[in-house]
Amino acid sequence: MNLSKALKKKSKLVNQINKEFEKFQRNNSYLEGREPLVNPAEALEKWIGLTEELVDLKTRIQKANQGIYHKIFMLAETKSMISKLQGVNTKSGFVADLYGAGVDKNYVALVNEIDMMKMLESYEEQIETLQDEIDAYNLTTKI
């Protein structure tokens, strides 16, 4: 199985694990003489088995990802950088003081709005490239 399929399988396993635990939790305690629709012992056993399967799959995925960790981490950090940069004030130039003493204020920004847009565009292109490389790796790497 390739990494791409393994990641999809991981997601499905997580959903199955949550459903089985919910079945166990909902049916664990019941009135004597009124058997629950779902056998809690079976749900518990299945939940434990699926969890063990998930741990095994995650371990195999992590081992397969060793060759691309740098790109995975770079992708995450670049997304974080974009998020932070989008909140930076880029106001620059003269602004009339409408509420104060009538004194115009001159703002200076190290990175103005145009330069910020260029930076963000560059980082977004970097994210796209990294994501394409990661996707290609995931499709071609077997676990």
Side-chain angles (χ1 to χ4, degrees):
M1 149 180 10
N2 66 28
L3 258 174
S4 183
K5 287 186 180 184
L7 292 167
K8 288 177 186 175
K9 183 176 180 178
K10 182 183 92 165
S11 184
K12 285 181 184 179
L13 269 174
V14 168
N15 288 333
Q16 288 178 306
I17 287 167
N18 290 337
K19 286 177 186 176
E20 288 304 318
F21 184 77
E22 190 177 301
K23 287 179 194 176
F24 163 69
Q25 187 176 33
R26 194 175 44 242
N27 294 284
N28 183 53
S29 180
Y30 54 91
L31 288 173
E32 187 176 4
R34 290 193 157 178
E35 296 297 316
L37 295 174
V38 174
N39 182 331
E42 288 176 10
L44 177 62
E45 187 176 321
K46 190 168 183 182
W47 174 65
I48 291 169
L50 288 170
T51 300
E52 290 170 356
E53 186 179 341
L54 178 65
V55 169
D56 179 58
L57 182 61
K58 282 182 166 184
T59 301
R60 291 170 36 218
I61 289 170
Q62 287 301 99
K63 286 179 182 177
N65 275 335
Q66 287 179 349
I68 200 163
Y69 275 147
H70 181 267
K71 290 179 183 184
I72 292 170
F73 296 144
M74 193 68 204
L75 178 68
E77 294 309 318
T78 304
K79 286 180 179 181
S80 175
M81 289 170 66
I82 286 176
S83 177
K84 288 177 180 171
L85 286 171
Q86 287 173 331
V88 172
N89 184 349
T90 57
K91 185 186 321 182
S92 60
F94 282 99
V95 177
D97 184 10
L98 302 174
Y99 304 105
V103 178
D104 291 345
K105 296 179 181 174
N106 185 31
Y107 288 88
V108 179
L110 175 67
V111 179
N112 64 33
E113 186 176 358
I114 293 170
D115 291 339
M116 182 63 75
M117 288 172 36
K118 289 177 185 175
M119 280 178 69
L120 291 171
E121 186 177 307
S122 172
Y123 284 131
E124 286 166 357
E125 288 172 4
Q126 184 178 355
I127 285 174
E128 209 171 294
T129 300
L130 286 166
Q131 189 63 61
D132 288 346
E133 292 171 359
I134 291 168
D135 289 345
Y137 184 87
N138 288 346
L139 285 171
T140 59
T141 303
K142 304 287 184 201
I143 65 166

